[in-house]
Coordinates of all heavy atoms in Angstrom, one line a residue:
M226 N 151.2 90.4 160.0 CA 151.4 90.5 158.6 C 151.9 89.3 158.0 O 151.6 88.9 156.9 CB 152.4 91.7 158.3 CG 152.5 92.1 156.9 SD 150.9 92.8 156.4 CE 151.3 93.4 154.9
K227 N 152.7 88.5 158.7 CA 153.2 87.3 158.3 C 152.2 86.2 158.1 O 152.2 85.5 157.1 CB 154.3 86.8 159.3 CG 155.1 85.6 158.8 CD 156.2 85.3 159.8 CE 157.2 84.4 159.3 NZ 158.2 84.0 160.2
M228 N 151.2 86.2 159.0 CA 150.1 85.2 158.9 C 149.2 85.6 157.7 O 148.7 84.7 157.0 CB 149.2 85.2 160.1 CG 148.2 84.2 160.1 SD 147.5 84.1 161.8 CE 146.3 82.9 161.6
L229 N 149.0 86.9 157.4 CA 148.2 87.3 156.2 C 148.9 86.9 154.9 O 148.3 86.4 154.0 CB 148.0 88.8 156.3 CG 147.2 89.4 155.1 CD1 145.8 88.8 155.2 CD2 147.1 90.9 155.3
D230 N 150.2 87.1 154.9 CA 151.0 86.7 153.7 C 150.9 85.2 153.5 O 150.7 84.7 152.4 CB 152.5 87.1 153.8 CG 152.6 88.6 153.7 OD1 151.8 89.3 153.1 OD2 153.6 89.1 154.3
M231 N 151.0 84.4 154.6 CA 150.9 83.0 154.5 C 149.5 82.6 154.0 O 149.3 81.7 153.2 CB 151.2 82.4 155.9 CG 151.5 80.9 155.9 SD 152.2 80.3 157.4 CE 150.9 80.8 158.6
L232 N 148.4 83.2 154.5 CA 147.1 82.9 154.1 C 146.9 83.2 152.7 O 146.3 82.4 152.0 CB 146.1 83.7 154.9 CG 144.6 83.6 154.6 CD1 144.1 82.2 155.0 CD2 143.9 84.7 155.4
M233 N 147.4 84.3 152.2 CA 147.2 84.7 150.8 C 148.0 83.7 149.9 O 147.6 83.4 148.8 CB 147.6 86.1 150.5 CG 146.7 87.1 151.2 SD 145.0 86.9 151.0 CE 144.8 87.6 149.4
A234 N 149.2 83.2 150.3 CA 150.0 82.4 149.5 C 149.4 81.0 149.4 O 149.5 80.3 148.4 CB 151.4 82.2 150.2
V235 N 148.6 80.5 150.4 CA 148.1 79.2 150.4 C 146.8 79.2 149.5 O 146.5 78.1 148.9 CB 147.7 78.8 151.8 CG1 146.9 77.5 151.9 CG2 148.9 78.7 152.7
G236 N 146.1 80.2 149.3 CA 145.0 80.2 148.4 C 144.0 81.3 148.7 O 142.9 81.3 148.2
G237 N 144.3 82.1 149.7 CA 143.5 83.2 150.0 C 142.4 83.0 151.0 O 142.4 82.0 151.7
F238 N 141.4 83.8 150.9 CA 140.3 83.8 151.8 C 139.5 82.5 151.7 O 138.9 82.0 152.7 CB 139.5 85.1 151.6 CG 138.2 85.1 152.4 CD1 138.3 85.4 153.8 CD2 137.0 84.8 151.9 CE1 137.2 85.4 154.6 CE2 135.8 84.9 152.7 CZ 135.9 85.2 154.0
W239 N 139.3 82.0 150.5 CA 138.4 80.9 150.2 C 138.8 79.6 151.0 O 138.0 78.7 151.1 CB 138.2 80.7 148.8 CG 137.7 82.0 148.2 CD1 138.5 82.7 147.2 CD2 136.6 82.8 148.5 NE1 137.8 83.8 146.9 CE2 136.7 83.9 147.6 CE3 135.6 82.6 149.4 CZ2 135.7 84.9 147.7 CZ3 134.6 83.6 149.4 CH2 134.6 84.7 148.6
N240 N 140.1 79.5 151.3 CA 140.5 78.2 152.0 C 140.1 78.3 153.5 O 140.0 77.3 154.1 CB 142.0 78.1 151.9 CG 142.4 77.5 150.5 OD1 141.6 77.0 149.8 ND2 143.7 77.7 150.2
V241 N 139.9 79.5 154.0 CA 139.5 79.6 155.4 C 138.0 79.9 155.5 O 137.5 80.2 156.6 CB 140.3 80.7 156.2 CG1 141.8 80.3 156.3 CG2 140.2 82.0 155.5
W242 N 137.3 79.9 154.4 CA 135.9 80.2 154.4 C 135.1 79.3 155.3 O 134.2 79.8 156.1 CB 135.3 80.2 153.0 CG 133.9 80.3 152.9 CD1 133.0 79.4 152.4 CD2 133.0 81.4 153.4 NE1 131.7 79.8 152.6 CE2 131.7 81.0 153.2 CE3 133.3 82.6 154.0 CZ2 130.6 81.8 153.5 CZ3 132.3 83.4 154.4 CH2 130.9 83.0 154.2
P243 N 135.3 78.0 155.4 CA 134.5 77.2 156.4 C 134.7 77.7 157.8 O 133.7 77.7 158.5 CB 135.1 75.8 156.2 CG 135.6 75.8 154.8 CD 136.2 77.2 154.5
I244 N 135.9 78.1 158.2 CA 136.1 78.6 159.6 C 135.4 79.9 159.8 O 134.7 80.1 160.8 CB 137.6 78.7 159.8 CG1 138.2 77.4 159.7 CG2 137.8 79.3 161.2 CD1 139.8 77.4 159.7
V245 N 135.5 80.8 158.8 CA 134.8 82.1 158.9 C 133.3 81.9 158.9 O 132.6 82.6 159.7 CB 135.2 83.0 157.7 CG1 134.4 84.3 157.7 CG2 136.7 83.3 157.8
K246 N 132.8 81.0 158.1 CA 131.4 80.7 158.1 C 130.8 80.2 159.5 O 129.8 80.7 159.9 CB 131.1 79.7 157.0 CG 129.6 79.4 156.8 CD 129.3 78.6 155.6 CE 129.9 77.2 155.6 NZ 129.4 76.4 154.6
I247 N 131.6 79.3 160.1 CA 131.2 78.8 161.4 C 131.2 80.0 162.4 O 130.3 80.1 163.2 CB 132.1 77.7 161.8 CG1 131.8 76.5 160.9 CG2 131.8 77.3 163.3 CD1 132.7 75.3 161.1
I248 N 132.2 80.8 162.4 CA 132.3 81.8 163.4 C 131.2 82.9 163.1 O 130.6 83.3 164.1 CB 133.7 82.5 163.3 CG1 134.8 81.6 163.8 CG2 133.7 83.8 164.1 CD1 136.2 82.1 163.5
A249 N 130.9 83.2 161.9 CA 129.8 84.2 161.6 C 128.4 83.6 162.0 O 127.6 84.3 162.6 CB 129.8 84.5 160.1
L250 N 128.2 82.3 161.8 CA 127.0 81.7 162.2 C 126.8 81.7 163.7 O 125.7 81.9 164.2 CB 126.8 80.3 161.6 CG 126.6 80.3 160.1 CD1 126.6 78.8 159.6 CD2 125.2 80.9 159.8
V251 N 127.9 81.5 164.4 CA 127.8 81.4 165.9 C 127.5 82.8 166.4 O 126.7 83.0 167.3 CB 129.1 80.9 166.5 CG1 129.2 81.2 168.0 CG2 129.2 79.4 166.2
I252 N 128.2 83.8 165.8 CA 128.0 85.2 166.2 C 126.5 85.6 165.9 O 125.8 86.3 166.7 CB 129.0 86.2 165.6 CG1 130.4 85.9 166.2 CG2 128.6 87.6 165.8 CD1 131.5 86.7 165.4
M253 N 126.0 85.2 164.7 CA 124.6 85.5 164.4 C 123.6 84.9 165.3 O 122.6 85.5 165.7 CB 124.4 85.2 162.9 CG 125.0 86.0 161.9 SD 124.9 85.4 160.2 CE 123.2 85.3 160.0
A254 N 123.9 83.6 165.7 CA 123.0 82.9 166.6 C 123.0 83.6 168.0 O 121.9 83.8 168.6 CB 123.4 81.5 166.7
I255 N 124.2 84.0 168.5 CA 124.3 84.7 169.7 C 123.5 86.1 169.7 O 122.7 86.4 170.6 CB 125.7 84.9 170.2 CG1 126.3 83.6 170.5 CG2 125.8 85.9 171.3 CD1 127.8 83.6 170.7
C256 N 123.6 86.8 168.6 CA 122.9 88.1 168.4 C 121.4 87.8 168.4 O 120.6 88.6 169.0 CB 123.4 88.7 167.2 SG 124.9 89.6 167.3
A257 N 121.0 86.8 167.7 CA 119.5 86.5 167.6 C 119.0 86.1 169.0 O 117.9 86.6 169.3 CB 119.3 85.4 166.6
L258 N 119.7 85.3 169.7 CA 119.2 85.0 171.1 C 119.2 86.2 172.0 O 118.3 86.4 172.8 CB 120.1 83.9 171.7 CG 119.9 82.5 171.1 CD1 120.9 81.5 171.6 CD2 118.5 82.0 171.3
F259 N 120.2 87.1 171.9 CA 120.3 88.3 172.6 C 119.1 89.2 172.3 O 118.5 89.8 173.2 CB 121.6 89.0 172.4 CG 121.8 90.2 173.3 CD1 122.1 90.0 174.6 CD2 121.7 91.5 172.7 CE1 122.3 91.2 175.4 CE2 121.9 92.6 173.5 CZ 122.2 92.4 174.9
I260 N 118.8 89.3 171.0 CA 117.6 90.2 170.6 C 116.4 89.6 171.2 O 115.5 90.4 171.7 CB 117.5 90.3 169.1 CG1 118.7 91.0 168.5 CG2 116.2 90.9 168.7 CD1 118.8 91.0 167.0
I261 N 116.2 88.3 171.2 CA 115.0 87.7 171.8 C 114.9 88.0 173.3 O 113.8 88.4 173.8 CB 115.0 86.2 171.5 CG1 114.7 85.9 170.0 CG2 113.9 85.5 172.4 CD1 115.0 84.5 169.6
F262 N 115.9 87.8 174.0 CA 115.9 88.1 175.4 C 115.7 89.6 175.8 O 115.0 89.9 176.7 CB 117.2 87.5 176.1 CG 117.2 86.0 176.2 CD1 118.3 85.3 175.7 CD2 116.2 85.3 176.8 CE1 118.3 83.9 175.8 CE2 116.2 84.0 176.8 CZ 117.3 83.3 176.4
V263 N 116.4 90.4 175.0 CA 116.2 91.8 175.3 C 114.8 92.3 175.1 O 114.2 93.0 175.8 CB 117.2 92.7 174.5 CG1 116.9 94.2 174.5 CG2 118.6 92.4 175.0
V264 N 114.2 91.8 174.0 CA 112.8 92.2 173.7 C 111.8 91.6 174.7 O 110.9 92.3 175.2 CB 112.4 91.7 172.3 CG1 110.9 91.9 172.0 CG2 113.1 92.5 171.2
L265 N 112.1 90.4 175.2 CA 111.2 89.8 176.2 C 111.3 90.5 177.5 O 110.3 90.6 178.3 CB 111.6 88.3 176.4 CG 111.1 87.4 175.3 CD1 111.6 86.0 175.6 CD2 109.6 87.4 175.2
F266 N 112.5 91.1 177.8 CA 112.7 91.7 179.2 C 112.2 93.2 179.1 O 112.2 93.9 180.2 CB 114.1 91.7 179.6 CG 114.5 90.3 180.1 CD1 115.5 89.6 179.7 CD2 113.7 89.7 181.1 CE1 115.8 88.3 180.1 CE2 114.0 88.4 181.6 CZ 115.0 87.7 181.1
Q267 N 111.8 93.7 178.0 CA 111.4 95.1 177.9 C 110.0 95.3 178.5 O 109.2 94.5 178.3 CB 111.4 95.6 176.5 CG 112.7 96.0 175.9 CD 112.6 96.5 174.5 OE1 111.5 96.8 174.0 NE2 113.8 96.7 173.9
P268 N 109.9 96.3 179.2 CA 108.5 96.6 179.8 C 107.6 97.1 178.7 O 108.0 97.6 177.7 CB 108.8 97.7 180.9 CG 110.0 98.3 180.5 CD 110.9 97.3 179.8
G269 N 106.3 96.9 178.9 CA 105.3 97.3 177.9 C 105.3 98.8 177.8 O 105.5 99.6 178.8
N270 N 104.8 99.3 176.7 CA 104.7 100.7 176.5 C 103.3 101.1 176.8 O 102.3 100.9 176.2 CB 104.9 101.0 175.0 CG 105.1 102.5 174.7 OD1 105.0 103.3 175.7 ND2 105.2 102.9 173.5
S271 N 103.1 101.7 178.0 CA 101.8 102.1 178.6 C 101.5 103.6 178.5 O 100.7 104.1 179.2 CB 101.7 101.6 180.0 OG 102.7 102.3 180.8
S272 N 102.2 104.3 177.6 CA 102.0 105.7 177.5 C 100.6 106.1 176.9 O 100.1 107.2 177.1 CB 103.1 106.4 176.7 OG 103.1 106.0 175.4
G273 N 100.0 105.2 176.1 CA 98.8 105.5 175.5 C 97.6 105.6 176.5 O 96.8 106.5 176.4
V274 N 97.6 104.8 177.6 CA 96.6 104.9 178.6 C 96.8 106.1 179.4 O 95.8 106.8 179.8 CB 96.6 103.6 179.4 CG1 95.6 103.7 180.6 CG2 96.3 102.4 178.6
G275 N 98.0 106.5 179.7 CA 98.3 107.6 180.5 C 97.9 109.0 179.9 O 97.6 110.0 180.5
A276 N 98.0 109.0 178.5 CA 97.6 110.2 177.8 C 96.2 110.5 177.9 O 95.8 111.7 177.8 CB 98.0 110.0 176.3
L277 N 95.3 109.6 178.2 CA 93.9 109.8 178.3 C 93.6 110.6 179.6 O 92.7 111.4 179.6 CB 93.1 108.6 178.3 CG 93.1 107.8 177.0 CD1 92.3 106.4 177.2 CD2 92.4 108.6 175.9
G278 N 94.4 110.3 180.7 CA 94.2 111.0 181.9 C 95.0 112.2 182.1 O 94.9 112.9 183.1
G279 N 95.9 112.5 181.1 CA 96.6 113.7 181.2 C 97.9 113.6 182.1 O 98.5 114.6 182.5
T280 N 98.3 112.4 182.4 CA 99.5 112.2 183.2 C 100.7 111.9 182.4 O 101.6 111.0 182.8 CB 99.2 111.1 184.2 OG1 98.9 109.8 183.4 CG2 98.1 111.4 185.1
T281 N 100.9 112.4 181.2 CA 102.1 112.1 180.4 C 103.3 112.8 180.9 O 104.4 112.3 180.6 CB 101.7 112.4 178.9 OG1 101.4 113.8 178.8 CG2 100.6 111.6 178.4
E282 N 103.2 113.9 181.5 CA 104.4 114.7 181.9 C 104.8 114.3 183.3 O 104.2 114.8 184.3 CB 104.1 116.2 181.8 CG 105.3 117.0 182.0 CD 106.3 116.9 180.8 OE1 105.9 116.6 179.7 OE2 107.5 117.0 181.1
T283 N 105.7 113.4 183.4 CA 106.2 112.9 184.7 C 107.7 113.1 184.9 O 108.3 113.4 183.9 CB 105.8 111.4 184.9 OG1 106.6 110.6 183.9 CG2 104.4 111.1 184.8
F284 N 108.2 112.8 186.0 CA 109.6 112.9 186.2 C 110.4 111.9 185.3 O 111.4 112.2 184.8 CB 109.9 112.7 187.7 CG 111.5 112.7 188.0 CD1 112.1 113.9 187.9 CD2 112.1 111.5 188.2 CE1 113.5 113.9 188.2 CE2 113.5 111.6 188.4 CZ 114.2 112.8 188.4
L285 N 109.8 110.6 185.2 CA 110.4 109.7 184.4 C 110.4 110.0 182.9 O 111.3 109.7 182.1 CB 109.8 108.3 184.6 CG 110.2 107.6 185.9 CD1 109.4 106.3 186.1 CD2 111.7 107.3 186.0
G286 N 109.4 110.8 182.6 CA 109.2 111.2 181.1 C 110.3 112.2 180.8 O 110.8 112.2 179.7
K287 N 110.6 113.0 181.8 CA 111.7 114.0 181.5 C 113.1 113.4 181.5 O 113.9 113.9 180.8 CB 111.6 115.1 182.6 CG 110.4 115.9 182.5 CD 110.4 117.0 183.6 CE 109.1 117.8 183.6 NZ 109.0 118.7 184.7
N288 N 113.3 112.4 182.3 CA 114.6 111.8 182.4 C 114.6 110.4 181.8 O 115.2 109.5 182.3 CB 115.1 111.7 183.9 CG 115.2 113.0 184.5 OD1 115.7 113.9 183.8 ND2 114.8 113.2 185.7
K289 N 114.0 110.3 180.6 CA 113.8 109.0 180.0 C 115.2 108.3 179.6 O 115.3 107.1 179.5 CB 112.9 109.1 178.8 CG 112.4 107.8 178.4 CD 111.1 108.0 177.5 CE 110.5 106.7 177.2 NZ 109.2 106.5 177.7
S290 N 116.2 109.1 179.3 CA 117.5 108.6 178.8 C 118.2 107.8 179.9 O 119.1 107.1 179.6 CB 118.3 109.7 178.3 OG 118.7 110.5 179.3
K291 N 117.8 107.9 181.2 CA 118.5 107.3 182.2 C 117.7 106.1 182.7 O 118.2 105.4 183.7 CB 118.7 108.3 183.4 CG 119.5 109.4 183.1 CD 119.6 110.4 184.2 CE 120.5 111.6 183.7 NZ 120.5 112.6 184.7
T292 N 116.6 105.7 182.2 CA 115.8 104.7 182.7 C 116.2 103.3 182.1 O 116.9 103.2 181.1 CB 114.3 104.9 182.4 OG1 114.1 104.9 180.9 CG2 113.8 106.2 183.0
F293 N 115.7 102.3 182.8 CA 116.0 100.9 182.3 C 115.4 100.6 181.0 O 115.9 100.0 180.1 CB 115.4 99.9 183.4 CG 115.5 98.5 183.0 CD1 116.8 97.9 183.0 CD2 114.5 97.8 182.7 CE1 116.9 96.5 182.7 CE2 114.6 96.4 182.3 CZ 115.8 95.8 182.3
E294 N 114.2 101.2 180.8 CA 113.5 101.0 179.5 C 114.2 101.5 178.4 O 114.3 101.0 177.3 CB 112.1 101.7 179.6 CG 111.2 101.5 178.4 CD 109.9 102.2 178.5 OE1 109.6 102.7 179.6 OE2 109.2 102.2 177.6
H295 N 114.8 102.7 178.5 CA 115.6 103.4 177.5 C 116.8 102.5 177.2 O 117.2 102.4 176.0 CB 116.0 104.8 177.9 CG 116.8 105.5 176.8 ND1 116.3 105.9 175.6 CD2 118.1 105.8 176.8 CE1 117.2 106.5 174.9 NE2 118.4 106.4 175.6
K296 N 117.5 102.1 178.2 CA 118.7 101.2 177.9 C 118.3 99.9 177.2 O 119.1 99.5 176.3 CB 119.4 100.9 179.3 CG 120.0 102.1 179.9 CD 120.6 101.8 181.3 CE 121.1 103.1 181.9 NZ 121.5 102.8 183.3
M297 N 117.2 99.3 177.5 CA 116.8 98.1 176.8 C 116.4 98.4 175.4 O 116.8 97.6 174.5 CB 115.6 97.5 177.6 CG 115.9 97.0 178.9 SD 117.1 95.7 179.0 CE 116.2 94.3 178.5
K298 N 115.8 99.5 175.1 CA 115.5 99.9 173.7 C 116.8 100.1 172.9 O 116.9 99.7 171.8 CB 114.6 101.1 173.6 CG 113.2 100.8 174.0 CD 112.3 102.1 173.9 CE 110.9 101.7 174.3 NZ 110.0 102.9 174.2
K299 N 117.7 100.8 173.6 CA 119.0 101.1 172.9 C 119.8 99.7 172.6 O 120.3 99.5 171.5 CB 119.9 102.0 173.8 CG 121.2 102.4 173.1 CD 122.0 103.3 174.0 CE 121.6 104.7 173.9 NZ 122.5 105.6 174.6
L300 N 119.8 98.8 173.5 CA 120.4 97.5 173.3 C 119.7 96.7 172.2 O 120.3 96.0 171.4 CB 120.4 96.7 174.6 CG 121.4 96.9 175.6 CD1 121.2 96.1 176.9 CD2 122.8 96.7 175.1
T301 N 118.4 96.8 172.1 CA 117.6 96.2 171.1 C 118.1 96.7 169.7 O 118.3 96.0 168.7 CB 116.1 96.4 171.2 OG1 115.7 95.9 172.5 CG2 115.3 95.7 170.2
V302 N 118.2 98.1 169.6 CA 118.5 98.7 168.3 C 120.0 98.3 167.9 O 120.2 97.9 166.8 CB 118.4 100.2 168.4 CG1 119.0 100.9 167.1 CG2 116.9 100.6 168.5
I303 N 120.9 98.3 168.9 CA 122.2 98.0 168.6 C 122.4 96.5 168.1 O 123.1 96.3 167.1 CB 123.1 98.4 169.8 CG1 123.3 99.9 170.0 CG2 124.5 97.8 169.6 CD1 123.9 100.3 171.3
S304 N 121.8 95.6 168.9 CA 121.9 94.2 168.5 C 121.2 93.9 167.2 O 121.7 93.0 166.5 CB 121.4 93.4 169.7 OG 120.1 93.7 170.0
S305 N 120.1 94.6 166.9 CA 119.5 94.4 165.7 C 120.3 94.9 164.5 O 120.3 94.2 163.4 CB 118.1 95.1 165.6 OG 117.3 94.6 166.6
I306 N 121.0 95.9 164.7 CA 121.8 96.5 163.6 C 123.0 95.5 163.4 O 123.4 95.2 162.2 CB 122.3 97.9 163.9 CG1 121.1 98.9 163.8 CG2 123.5 98.3 163.0 CD1 121.5 100.2 164.3
V307 N 123.6 95.0 164.5 CA 124.8 94.1 164.3 C 124.3 92.8 163.6 O 125.0 92.3 162.7 CB 125.3 93.8 165.7 CG1 126.3 92.6 165.7 CG2 126.1 95.0 166.3
F308 N 123.1 92.3 164.0 CA 122.6 91.1 163.4 C 122.3 91.4 161.9 O 122.6 90.5 161.1 CB 121.3 90.7 164.1 CG 120.7 89.4 163.5 CD1 121.3 88.2 163.8 CD2 119.6 89.5 162.8 CE1 120.8 87.0 163.3 CE2 119.0 88.3 162.3 CZ 119.7 87.1 162.5
A309 N 121.7 92.5 161.5 CA 121.4 92.8 160.1 C 122.7 92.9 159.3 O 122.8 92.3 158.2 CB 120.6 94.0 160.1
V310 N 123.7 93.6 159.8 CA 124.9 93.8 159.1 C 125.6 92.4 158.9 O 126.2 92.1 157.8 CB 125.9 94.7 159.8 CG1 127.3 94.7 159.3 CG2 125.3 96.2 159.7
L311 N 125.7 91.6 159.9 CA 126.2 90.2 159.8 C 125.5 89.4 158.7 O 126.1 88.6 158.0 CB 126.2 89.5 161.1 CG 127.4 89.9 162.1 CD1 127.1 89.2 163.4 CD2 128.7 89.5 161.5
C312 N 124.2 89.5 158.7 CA 123.4 88.8 157.7 C 123.8 89.2 156.3 O 123.9 88.3 155.4 CB 121.9 88.9 158.0 SG 121.3 88.1 159.4
V313 N 123.9 90.5 156.1 CA 124.2 91.0 154.7 C 125.6 90.6 154.3 O 125.8 90.1 153.2 CB 124.0 92.6 154.7 CG1 124.6 93.1 153.4 CG2 122.5 92.9 154.9
V314 N 126.5 90.8 155.2 CA 127.9 90.4 154.9 C 128.1 88.9 154.7 O 128.7 88.5 153.7 CB 128.9 90.8 156.1 CG1 130.2 90.2 155.9 CG2 129.0 92.3 156.2
F315 N 127.4 88.1 155.5 CA 127.4 86.7 155.3 C 126.8 86.3 153.9 O 127.3 85.4 153.2 CB 126.7 86.0 156.4 CG 126.7 84.5 156.4 CD1 127.8 83.8 156.7 CD2 125.6 83.7 156.0 CE1 128.0 82.4 156.7 CE2 125.7 82.4 156.0 CZ 126.9 81.7 156.3
A316 N 125.7 86.9 153.5 CA 125.1 86.6 152.3 C 126.0 87.0 151.1 O 126.1 86.3 150.1 CB 123.7 87.3 152.2
I317 N 126.6 88.1 151.2 CA 127.5 88.6 150.1 C 128.7 87.7 149.9 O 129.0 87.3 148.8 CB 128.0 90.1 150.4 CG1 126.8 91.0 150.2 CG2 129.1 90.5 149.4 CD1 127.1 92.5 150.6
V318 N 129.3 87.3 151.0 CA 130.5 86.5 151.0 C 130.1 85.1 150.5 O 130.9 84.4 149.7 CB 131.2 86.4 152.4 CG1 132.3 85.4 152.4 CG2 131.8 87.8 152.7
A319 N 129.0 84.6 151.0 CA 128.5 83.3 150.5 C 128.2 83.2 149.1 O 128.5 82.3 148.4 CB 127.3 82.8 151.3
F320 N 127.7 84.3 148.5 CA 127.4 84.5 147.1 C 128.7 84.3 146.3 O 128.7 83.7 145.3 CB 126.6 85.8 146.8 CG 126.4 86.0 145.4 CD1 125.5 85.3 144.7 CD2 127.2 86.9 144.7 CE1 125.2 85.5 143.4 CE2 126.9 87.2 143.3 CZ 126.0 86.4 142.6
F321 N 129.7 85.1 146.7 CA 130.9 85.1 145.9 C 131.7 83.8 146.1 O 132.5 83.4 145.3 CB 131.8 86.3 146.3 CG 131.3 87.6 145.7 CD1 130.8 88.6 146.5 CD2 131.2 87.8 144.4 CE1 130.4 89.8 146.0 CE2 130.7 88.9 143.8 CZ 130.3 90.0 144.6
A322 N 131.5 83.1 147.3 CA 132.2 81.8 147.5 C 131.6 80.7 146.6 O 132.2 79.8 146.3 CB 132.1 81.4 149.0
A323 N 130.3 80.9 146.3 CA 129.6 79.8 145.5 C 130.0 79.9 144.0 O 129.8 79.0 143.3 CB 128.1 80.0 145.6
Q324 N 130.6 81.1 143.6 CA 130.9 81.2 142.2 C 132.2 80.6 141.8 O 133.1 80.4 142.5 CB 130.9 82.7 141.8 CG 129.5 83.3 141.8 CD 129.5 84.7 141.4 OE1 130.6 85.3 141.2 NE2 128.4 85.3 141.2

């Protein structure tokens, strides 16, 4: 609480904006690289070809939540959401800092 009071007394959030901006950009860059690598390591979706032969009902199809493919898709969604939220927050704060 003491550091927050000191920050607000000095001039508020806008005096530390350059530091926050650098940290936000670094986190956004890490998220972007993570999204790229997760998407590249995902296996292809080959369920369309298997549907023609009638082999869509398999053991892996029933236990899809435990597979590597499902975990990679979940990581893609989570990292994309974090990246999008950071972009929106960064844009809003940058807009108010410019005024």
